[in-house]
Amino acid sequence: MSDTNIKVGELVMFIDSKQRRYLVKLAHGDAFHLHTGIIEHDTVIGSEPGTIVRTSGGSRLLVVRPTLSDYILKMRRGAQIIYPKDLGPIVMLSDVGPGMRVLEAGLGSGALSLTLLRAIGPEGSLVTYEIRDDHAVRGTKNIAEFLGGAPPNHEVRIGDICDGVAQEDFDRIVLDLPDPWRALPVITPRLHPGGILVSYLPTVPQVSQTVEALRDHGYGLVESLEVLTRPWHVEGMSVRPEHRIVGHTGFLVSARRLSRDAN
Ligand code: SAH
């Protein structure tokens, strides 16, 4: 059996002929039940990713390892997630990279945390504030499920980020909060001068208030944008945009903390 083959305990994604996706954690002796029959986990364990298996009813299922994006779209949700189309640009806008110390709020379902953890790698560290116990539980479970355990470089702190952040410095701050302007007085002193803050915001009034507050707190290079993706249907002569697209998720605001002399 090759090392790249699927192992017991792994998460896999089954994709049926109608492109429906199912996330399953493989265990010896378990079975996955579909309306078209069952599939024994043991028939999947040891197989090559990208293979086709058949249910007891004879229907075909493609087996792959979920990408981070697949997992985020399928994982259980407490709070509304940030979608992969925004998560990618957040990594570029915040310029989060290997070894960085990053501050985040709130944890929610953990989609943004998983993305930041991947970007900082094992040498980096992530501190995430979450005000709600139930979201903290859901988010940490999701993160551990995808990574196969709780990552040692991720600290989740239960509480309101506006109540203060311990005396430590961060290279980057990434926020998914309804009212980030309330947090700026306590988080800004914790961000290195030149450090970048990115805030995800669903509505226009939140963008206005955040941008004004960022300028008042000594940030510069403040930019606001939204990310529109338009998937295409490509089949034979039928090559065109999909009929339905996601019209709106949120806006992204990025800014740099300037040194005192700059203000
Ligand atoms: N980015 C997350 C979703 C976060 S939803 C994801 O992609 O999965 C926003 C979260 O912020 C909620 O869980 C909410 O409980 C938390 N929150 C709201 N205000 C907060 C505050 N002041 N301090 C810490 N967490 C807060």
Side-chain angles (χ1 to χ4, degrees):
M1 183 165 92
S2 149
D3 242 18
T4 59
N5 285 8
I6 289 166
K7 296 173 197 62
V8 64
E10 273 200 80
L11 271 180
V12 293
M13 196 165 60
F14 292 132
I15 304 171
D16 72 12
S17 55
K18 297 214 164 112
Q19 301 304 307
R20 283 179 298 225
R21 291 155 177 241
Y22 309 91
L23 205 57
V24 176
K25 189 169 184 188
L26 297 174
H28 286 307
D30 276 5
F32 174 64
H33 295 256
L34 264 160
H35 55 286
T36 54
I38 67 164
I39 176 99
E40 305 282 350
H41 289 197
D42 286 309
T43 61
V44 179
I45 294 165
S47 59
E48 268 186 353
T51 202
I52 302 274
V53 292
R54 282 186 185 275
T55 68
S56 55
S59 61
R60 291 155 60 93
L61 285 178
L62 175 64
V63 187
V64 291
R65 293 193 170 98
T67 62
L68 176 54
S69 169
D70 292 329
Y71 181 72
I72 286 170
L73 293 173
K74 275 286 163 197
M75 71 188 189
R76 288 182 58 185
R77 291 181 196 173
Q80 176 62 269
I81 60 163
I82 300 182
Y83 281 86
K85 79 160 179 75
D86 295 306
L87 291 168
I90 286 173
V91 171
M92 287 307 279
L93 286 170
S94 60
D95 195 42
V96 167
M100 285 187 180
R101 286 188 54 77
V102 180
L103 173 65
E104 181 200 15
L107 178 71
S109 303
L112 176 59
S113 311
L114 276 169
T115 306
L116 295 172
L117 284 164
R118 177 171 276 188
I120 62 176
E123 307 297 321
S125 63
L126 177 66
V127 173
T128 308
Y129 281 78
E130 172 54 57
I131 203 167
R132 281 179 52 166
D133 290 326
D134 55 337
H135 288 179
V137 169
R138 179 75 268 150
T140 47
K141 271 191 189 158
N142 284 348
I143 292 165
E145 182 179 53
F146 186 69
L147 298 178
N153 59 342
H154 186 205
E155 188 187 337
V156 177
R157 297 183 185 159
I158 314 263
D160 185 339
I161 193 168
C162 306
D163 289 344
V165 173
Q167 296 288 321
E168 58 204 316
D169 288 337
F170 295 94
D171 303 301
R172 304 288 187 252
I173 299 178
V174 187
L175 302 175
D176 179 6
L177 292 174
D179 46 6
W181 50 88
R182 275 205 318 126
L184 289 184
V186 300
I187 62 178
T188 302
R190 306 270 71 84
L191 180 61
H192 289 148
I196 299 172
L197 178 150
V198 171
S199 181
Y200 172 85
L201 299 156
T203 72
V204 168
Q206 289 169 307
V207 172
S208 310
Q209 201 161 344
T210 303
V211 168
E212 275 170 34
L214 283 167
R215 291 186 179 132
D216 290 347
H217 283 84
Y219 290 79
L221 305 174
V222 184
E223 289 176 23
S224 305
L225 59 90
E226 64 177 317
V227 179
L228 302 176
T229 55
R230 198 158 71 124
W232 280 54
H233 172 92
V234 180
E235 220 171 282
M237 296 301 283
S238 170
V239 179
R240 53 161 175 78
E242 294 284 358
H243 290 133
R244 291 187 183 81
I245 66 167
V246 175
H248 178 69
T249 53
F251 301 98
L252 302 177
V253 174
S254 64
R256 266 187 193 245
R257 185 183 171 202
L258 304 183
S259 122
R260 272 215 187 103
D261 324 337
N263 287 290

